[in-house]
Amino acid sequence: MNQIIEVQSVSKSFGGVQANQDISLSVKEGIITGLIGPNGSGKTTLFNSIVGQHPIDNGNILFQGKEISKLRVGEIARLGLLRTFQQTRIYNKMNCVDNMEISVSHRGRRFGSMFSSRKGEILDRAEELLDFVGLYSKRFLISGDLSFGQQKLLEFAMALMNDPKVLLLDEPTAGINPTLINGLIDRLKRANEEMGVTLFVIEHNMRVVMNLASHVFCLAHGKLLAGGPPSEIQNDQKVIDAYLGAH
Ligand SMILES: Nc1ncnc2c1ncn2[C@@H]1O[C@H](COP(=O)(O)OP(=O)(O)OP(=O)(O)O)[C@@H](O)[C@H]1O
Ligand SMILES: [Mg+2]
């Protein structure tokens, strides 16, 4: 299987804080990869580096074999590499369908501009994906009035509007009611299996990671501590000491 993302010796610091230190890892195409680690271990920073949110200090990042670490966010999004945020970023005053449409105009790959002749097709896809995440009945509700969990589902659907090759999800289940988490896991798996989206998922809920991912990396203090299948990571003494033991 191909490595769709290759992170090679990437370092990133903020002032005196070394948020990522010489990190090398790769994400295989077509599967779900997890990223775990204590608070402040550098997970979100790594996602920001991959999607071009900030320049990295050292190293290389390849997407489908092409160096992307000097590209800007929009250029990387157009290649089909998207992310969601730890704090959701939706347009609070707009309804769900409008949020779906505007996410296309911002990061379009599947449809190009929303002002194209394909507006009807965009609306159909928006409704289809809102149905996929369980928000069809809320589609004309102002998104700011949705619950936090529903806003996360909306953000996930917005990203899917652009038919990403890879989607980086920063804590998709945080704040979501335990009874709804199983439904979300199911949707993430379906996005992966049925839509063919490669997922790279930051997650603190170990039950979710172990259930979802076929490969897991663990960061601690800005460094890569371990990587392997979930069963191996769960029993890795370094991971237990740095993270799981405290769970
Ligand atoms: N823009 C920034 N400016 C200064 N320091 C930052 C910035 N972004 C991150 N950091 C610091 O880098 C370190 C890693 O932060 P990061 O957000 O990547 O951790 P994380 O693993 O995502 O944590 P969490 O699980 O709490 O979300 C932290 O010490 C954080 O304070
Ligand atoms: Mg984070």
Side-chain angles (χ1 to χ4, degrees), residues 43-44 86 170-171 202:
K43 305 180 297 297
T44 297
Q86 196 164 352
D170 198 342
E171 300 193 26
I202 295 176

Side-chain angles (χ1 to χ4, degrees), residues 143-234:
S143 64
D145 291 338
L146 295 173
S147 73
F148 179 69
Q150 290 167 337
Q151 291 181 3
K152 294 203 85 135
L153 289 167
L154 174 61
E155 199 192 21
F156 175 47
M158 285 163 68
L160 292 177
M161 273 306 274
N162 295 288
D163 213 10
K165 290 176 186 159
V166 180
L167 187 53
L168 274 48
L169 298 162
D170 198 342
E171 300 193 26
T173 67
I176 295 197
N177 183 317
T179 56
L180 292 180
I181 285 186
N182 287 342
L184 179 59
I185 292 176
D186 180 55
R187 287 181 181 103
L188 295 176
K189 283 185 173 168
R190 283 180 57 199
N192 174 246
E193 286 163 14
E194 296 168 21
M195 299 179 198
V197 186
T198 299
L199 298 178
F200 192 18
V201 185
I202 295 176
E203 187 55 66
H204 279 294
N205 183 329
M206 290 317 298
R207 184 178 69 81
V208 174
V209 188
M210 298 303 163
N211 194 322
L212 195 62
S214 33
H215 198 88
V216 179
F217 292 105
C218 180
L219 301 187
H221 303 293
K223 293 184 186 159
L224 181 68
L225 197 64
S231 53
E232 234 173 67
I233 289 295
Q234 244 175 336

Side-chain angles (χ1 to χ4, degrees), residues 10-72:
V10 166
S11 296
K12 174 71 186 173
S13 57
F14 300 102
V17 179
Q18 184 92 50
N20 284 162
Q21 215 174 322
D22 198 23
I23 292 183
S24 296
L25 56 82
S26 52
V27 173
K28 283 201 181 95
E29 184 166 14
I31 66 165
I32 304 180
T33 300
L35 183 61
I36 62 173
N39 291 124
S41 58
K43 305 180 297 297
T44 297
T45 301
L46 184 64
F47 271 22
N48 285 335
S49 297
I50 292 173
V51 301
Q53 206 87 31
H54 53 215
I56 56 175
D57 301 337
N58 283 300
N60 296 96
I61 300 172
L62 309 188
F63 178 61
Q64 295 188 304
K66 179 182 182 300
E67 166 69 279
I68 58 165
S69 66
K70 305 281 187 300
L71 300 183
R72 289 190 302 266

